[in-house]
Amino acid sequence: MSDQLVARIEWIYRHQSKTSHESVARLQQDGEDVFFDLEGLEEGRVVSLWIHLYRPKMEDDSEDAVIEELDGETLVPLGKIHLPYHGATGSDSNEEWERRARIISFAFSQWYVDHASGRRVCSYNCRSFYQTCVSSEMKEFQLRSIGRTTFRDRSKEGMRSHGDYLIKSGHCGMAVCYDEDTGRLCTIEGNYGMGGPHRINIAPRRSTSSWHTIRHLEAKPQPVEVEPAEPKQ
C-alpha cells in the first residue's frame, strides 16, 4: 500500500524561511524503508519539510469522501505528519558541505528521538550535545572565532554555517543557519529549557547578539608536500 501513497511536500530552505516551496512525490519502498525523492535542491543547504499524505481514490469510497486533484490524480487526503522533517543536502563536489550535512543530520536525529517519544529521553547537556554531534567529523575541521557582523555578511554571501559552535554565558549551542529573511539565527541546542518537556530544541529566531562567541568550522589546511631537492653534482 505504501508505494501507492503520494506525498505533497511543503518545504523551505532554512536560510530563506519566508519563501515556501511545494513539491509532489510518490512514495517508494525498499524493504522496511519508505521514502520519496525530492530533487533539484541546492547543495549544502538545510531544509524543513511538512508532509501531507494521500492515497488513490477507491471505487468503494463513499460519495461524501473528501477528494483532491493533485498532480493530475484524484486522491483522498490521509493527513499531515505532525512533526516537520529537518534535513540537509550534501554535496558531491564540496567536502566541507558534505561533512556539515552529516553533523547537522545527526543533531536532527537526536531532536526526533527527544520529540517523537513525547518525553525527555536524551541525557545530553549543552556541551556534550555539540561534542557528540561533531565528534566523527572534527578530525577534518578546526574552529575559528569570527565576529557576529562577519558571520552575517559571509552567510549572505553563501557561507554555510550549520555545525558552527555558539557560546554565551552558561550555555552553548549549534548553528543551523543565518536566516536572511528574518535577520535571525536558527539554532539547535541541547539541555534547552530545563523546566520544559524536551531537552533538545530547535530555536528558529535567536538573535546573533545573544551569543558572545561564534566559532566557525573550517577545513584544516592540508600539509604541503615538498619534493626533496636533487643532490648537487
Side-chain angles (χ1 to χ4, degrees):
M1 177 64 180
S2 60
D3 59 357
Q4 299 180 41
L5 299 182
V6 173
R8 177 170 63 84
I9 307 116
E10 301 173 59
W11 59 277
I12 58 170
Y13 291 116
R14 288 252 50 124
H15 70 290
Q16 295 174 336
S17 65
K18 292 187 177 181
T19 305
S20 60
H21 309 266
E22 186 170 297
S23 302
V24 175
R26 187 169 296 279
L27 269 64
Q28 305 173 57
Q29 186 159 5
D30 182 8
E32 295 183 354
D33 296 327
V34 178
F35 62 94
F36 59 81
D37 291 327
L38 189 58
E39 300 177 347
L41 299 179
E42 292 181 29
E43 291 189 343
R45 292 299 189 186
V46 180
V47 295
S48 294
L49 319 174
W50 290 264
I51 301 170
H52 304 257
L53 292 178
Y54 297 79
R55 65 166 174 81
K57 186 178 184 303
M58 307 293 187
E59 289 185 2
D60 57 356
D61 283 333
S62 65
E63 292 184 1
D64 57 353
V66 176
I67 61 171
E68 293 185 27
E69 294 293 327
L70 192 64
D71 207 30
E73 294 186 70
T74 302
L75 301 168
V76 176
L78 296 177
K80 180 179 179 180
I81 296 177
H82 76 284
L83 281 178
Y85 174 80
H86 304 289
T89 58
S91 174
D92 293 329
S93 58
N94 189 309
E95 187 175 353
E96 177 203 326
W97 294 357
E98 181 68 23
R99 292 184 180 279
R100 285 182 179 275
R102 290 199 286 266
I103 289 171
I104 199 69
S105 294
F106 180 83
F108 287 147
S109 74
Q110 301 306 287
W111 178 85
Y112 282 109
V113 170
D114 201 36
H115 283 248
S117 66
R119 55 193 175 87
R120 297 166 74 162
V121 295
C122 294
S123 58
Y124 301 110
N125 61 36
C126 56
R127 183 175 174 80
S128 66
F129 174 69
Y130 183 85
Q131 290 176 329
T132 301
C133 293
V134 303
S135 61
S136 65
E137 304 297 333
M138 276 308 292
K139 63 182 181 295
E140 302 296 334
F141 281 118
Q142 60 188 10
L143 286 164
R144 182 171 64 88
S145 294
I146 61 175
R148 291 188 290 263
T149 301
T150 301
F151 179 84
R152 290 194 297 267
D153 292 345
R154 290 182 63 188
S155 293
K156 292 177 181 179
E157 293 169 1
M159 179 188 77
R160 294 350 187 217
S161 57
H162 41 293
D164 284 2
Y165 190 36
L166 309 172
I167 307 169
K168 63 180 178 179
S169 179
H171 187 54
C172 60
M174 178 184 291
V176 174
C177 67
Y178 177 77
D179 188 340
E180 300 168 14
D181 288 349
T182 64
R184 295 283 180 162
L185 185 60
C186 181
T187 66
I188 182 167
E189 303 165 39
N191 203 25
Y192 179 96
M194 290 295 291
H198 304 296
R199 190 174 289 273
I200 298 172
N201 194 57
I202 297 171
R205 294 189 178 181
R206 290 283 205 189
S207 169
T208 53
S209 62
S210 64
W211 305 97
H212 62 66
T213 302
I214 298 175
R215 303 190 70 189
H216 180 62
L217 286 172
E218 62 181 19
K220 288 181 178 177
Q222 298 300 311
V224 178
E225 294 186 8
V226 179
E227 293 287 338
E230 297 202 3
K232 293 181 179 180
Q233 299 297 325

